[in-house]
Short mmCIF file of all heavy atoms in Angstrom, two decimals:
data_model
loop_
_atom_site.label_atom_id
_atom_site.label_comp_id
_atom_site.label_asym_id
_atom_site.label_seq_id
_atom_site.Cartn_x
_atom_site.Cartn_y
_atom_site.Cartn_z
N GLN W 374 145.65 150.24 68.49
CA GLN W 374 146.76 150.70 67.63
C GLN W 374 147.77 149.58 67.32
O GLN W 374 148.39 149.49 66.27
CB GLN W 374 147.51 151.85 68.28
CG GLN W 374 146.65 153.04 68.55
CD GLN W 374 146.55 153.95 67.27
OE1 GLN W 374 147.19 153.75 66.30
NE2 GLN W 374 145.78 155.00 67.39
N ASP W 375 147.93 148.63 68.33
CA ASP W 375 148.94 147.61 68.19
C ASP W 375 148.44 146.34 67.56
O ASP W 375 149.12 145.37 67.49
CB ASP W 375 149.61 147.28 69.49
CG ASP W 375 148.62 146.89 70.61
OD1 ASP W 375 147.39 147.05 70.32
OD2 ASP W 375 149.03 146.47 71.64
N SER W 376 147.16 146.32 67.16
CA SER W 376 146.52 145.11 66.66
C SER W 376 147.08 144.82 65.23
O SER W 376 147.04 145.72 64.36
CB SER W 376 145.01 145.22 66.58
OG SER W 376 144.44 144.20 65.86
N PRO W 377 147.52 143.59 64.94
CA PRO W 377 147.92 143.28 63.57
C PRO W 377 146.78 143.35 62.57
O PRO W 377 147.06 143.51 61.39
CB PRO W 377 148.41 141.85 63.70
CG PRO W 377 147.75 141.30 64.94
CD PRO W 377 147.62 142.47 65.91
N HIS W 378 145.56 143.30 63.07
CA HIS W 378 144.43 143.38 62.14
C HIS W 378 144.20 144.80 61.55
O HIS W 378 143.44 144.94 60.63
CB HIS W 378 143.16 142.91 62.84
CG HIS W 378 143.16 141.53 63.31
ND1 HIS W 378 143.31 140.44 62.43
CD2 HIS W 378 143.11 140.96 64.59
CE1 HIS W 378 143.35 139.31 63.13
NE2 HIS W 378 143.22 139.59 64.39
N LEU W 379 144.84 145.76 62.19
CA LEU W 379 144.68 147.18 61.77
C LEU W 379 145.82 147.64 60.87
O LEU W 379 145.88 148.81 60.48
CB LEU W 379 144.52 148.08 62.90
CG LEU W 379 143.07 148.33 63.39
CD1 LEU W 379 142.49 147.03 63.97
CD2 LEU W 379 142.90 149.45 64.35
N GLU W 380 146.84 146.73 60.59
CA GLU W 380 147.89 147.14 59.71
C GLU W 380 147.38 147.54 58.35
O GLU W 380 146.60 146.84 57.74
CB GLU W 380 148.93 145.94 59.60
CG GLU W 380 149.67 145.72 60.84
CD GLU W 380 150.73 144.61 60.71
OE1 GLU W 380 150.88 144.13 59.50
OE2 GLU W 380 151.33 144.16 61.68
N GLY W 381 147.83 148.70 57.92
CA GLY W 381 147.40 149.23 56.60
C GLY W 381 146.07 149.98 56.64
O GLY W 381 145.76 150.66 55.68
N VAL W 382 145.30 149.85 57.74
CA VAL W 382 144.02 150.52 57.83
C VAL W 382 144.13 151.81 58.65
O VAL W 382 143.46 152.84 58.34
CB VAL W 382 142.91 149.61 58.46
CG1 VAL W 382 141.60 150.34 58.55
CG2 VAL W 382 142.81 148.32 57.71
N LEU W 383 145.02 151.81 59.60
CA LEU W 383 145.20 152.99 60.48
C LEU W 383 145.60 154.22 59.73
O LEU W 383 145.18 155.37 60.06
CB LEU W 383 146.20 152.70 61.54
CG LEU W 383 145.74 151.85 62.77
CD1 LEU W 383 146.94 151.52 63.64
CD2 LEU W 383 144.65 152.53 63.52
N ASP W 384 146.35 154.06 58.59
CA ASP W 384 146.76 155.20 57.86
C ASP W 384 145.75 155.63 56.83
O ASP W 384 145.96 156.56 56.06
CB ASP W 384 148.08 154.82 57.14
CG ASP W 384 149.23 154.55 58.09
OD1 ASP W 384 149.20 155.13 59.20
OD2 ASP W 384 150.09 153.77 57.75
N HIS W 385 144.60 154.94 56.76
CA HIS W 385 143.56 155.29 55.80
C HIS W 385 142.20 155.43 56.61
O HIS W 385 141.38 154.48 56.60
CB HIS W 385 143.41 154.15 54.73
CG HIS W 385 144.63 154.08 53.91
ND1 HIS W 385 145.72 153.28 54.29
CD2 HIS W 385 145.01 154.65 52.75
CE1 HIS W 385 146.68 153.35 53.39
NE2 HIS W 385 146.29 154.21 52.45
N PRO W 386 142.01 156.59 57.23
CA PRO W 386 140.82 156.77 58.03
C PRO W 386 139.47 156.44 57.32
O PRO W 386 138.61 155.87 57.98
CB PRO W 386 140.88 158.27 58.43
CG PRO W 386 142.30 158.60 58.28
CD PRO W 386 142.85 157.76 57.15
N GLN W 387 139.35 156.83 56.11
CA GLN W 387 138.08 156.54 55.42
C GLN W 387 137.85 155.04 55.25
O GLN W 387 136.73 154.56 55.39
CB GLN W 387 138.13 157.23 54.01
CG GLN W 387 136.75 157.13 53.34
CD GLN W 387 136.71 158.04 52.07
OE1 GLN W 387 137.72 158.59 51.70
NE2 GLN W 387 135.55 158.17 51.48
N GLN W 388 138.92 154.30 55.03
CA GLN W 388 138.76 152.81 54.92
C GLN W 388 138.44 152.19 56.24
O GLN W 388 137.60 151.32 56.33
CB GLN W 388 140.11 152.20 54.42
CG GLN W 388 140.06 150.76 54.13
CD GLN W 388 141.38 150.19 53.61
OE1 GLN W 388 142.32 150.98 53.29
NE2 GLN W 388 141.49 148.92 53.54
N LEU W 389 139.02 152.71 57.38
CA LEU W 389 138.76 152.19 58.66
C LEU W 389 137.25 152.45 58.97
O LEU W 389 136.57 151.58 59.48
CB LEU W 389 139.62 152.96 59.68
CG LEU W 389 139.29 152.72 61.18
CD1 LEU W 389 139.55 151.26 61.56
CD2 LEU W 389 140.01 153.67 62.09
N SER W 390 136.80 153.67 58.74
CA SER W 390 135.40 154.04 59.06
C SER W 390 134.47 153.17 58.22
O SER W 390 133.48 152.62 58.73
CB SER W 390 135.15 155.50 58.71
OG SER W 390 133.82 155.86 58.82
N GLY W 391 134.76 153.04 56.92
CA GLY W 391 133.86 152.28 56.02
C GLY W 391 133.76 150.77 56.44
O GLY W 391 132.67 150.23 56.47
N GLN W 392 134.90 150.21 56.78
CA GLN W 392 134.90 148.79 57.20
C GLN W 392 134.14 148.65 58.51
O GLN W 392 133.34 147.72 58.68
CB GLN W 392 136.34 148.24 57.37
CG GLN W 392 137.00 148.01 56.06
CD GLN W 392 138.32 147.19 56.24
OE1 GLN W 392 138.50 146.53 57.25
NE2 GLN W 392 139.24 147.37 55.29
N ALA W 393 134.37 149.53 59.44
CA ALA W 393 133.73 149.43 60.76
C ALA W 393 132.19 149.49 60.64
O ALA W 393 131.44 148.71 61.28
CB ALA W 393 134.23 150.46 61.74
N ILE W 394 131.68 150.45 59.87
CA ILE W 394 130.26 150.60 59.64
C ILE W 394 129.73 149.36 59.00
O ILE W 394 128.61 148.88 59.35
CB ILE W 394 129.91 151.87 58.84
CG1 ILE W 394 130.44 153.13 59.55
CG2 ILE W 394 128.44 151.94 58.64
CD1 ILE W 394 129.89 153.31 60.97
N MET W 395 130.43 148.82 58.06
CA MET W 395 130.01 147.62 57.36
C MET W 395 129.84 146.40 58.30
O MET W 395 128.92 145.67 58.25
CB MET W 395 130.97 147.28 56.20
CG MET W 395 130.62 146.00 55.43
SD MET W 395 131.80 145.68 54.11
CE MET W 395 133.30 145.24 55.07
#
Side-chain angles (χ1 to χ4, degrees):
Q374 299 276 355
D375 56 351
S376 169
H378 297 300
L379 269 70
E380 288 182 8
V382 181
L383 282 175
D384 296 331
H385 298 86
Q387 190 170 5
Q388 187 179 349
L389 170 69
S390 173
Q392 285 191 23
I394 300 301
M395 178 180 68

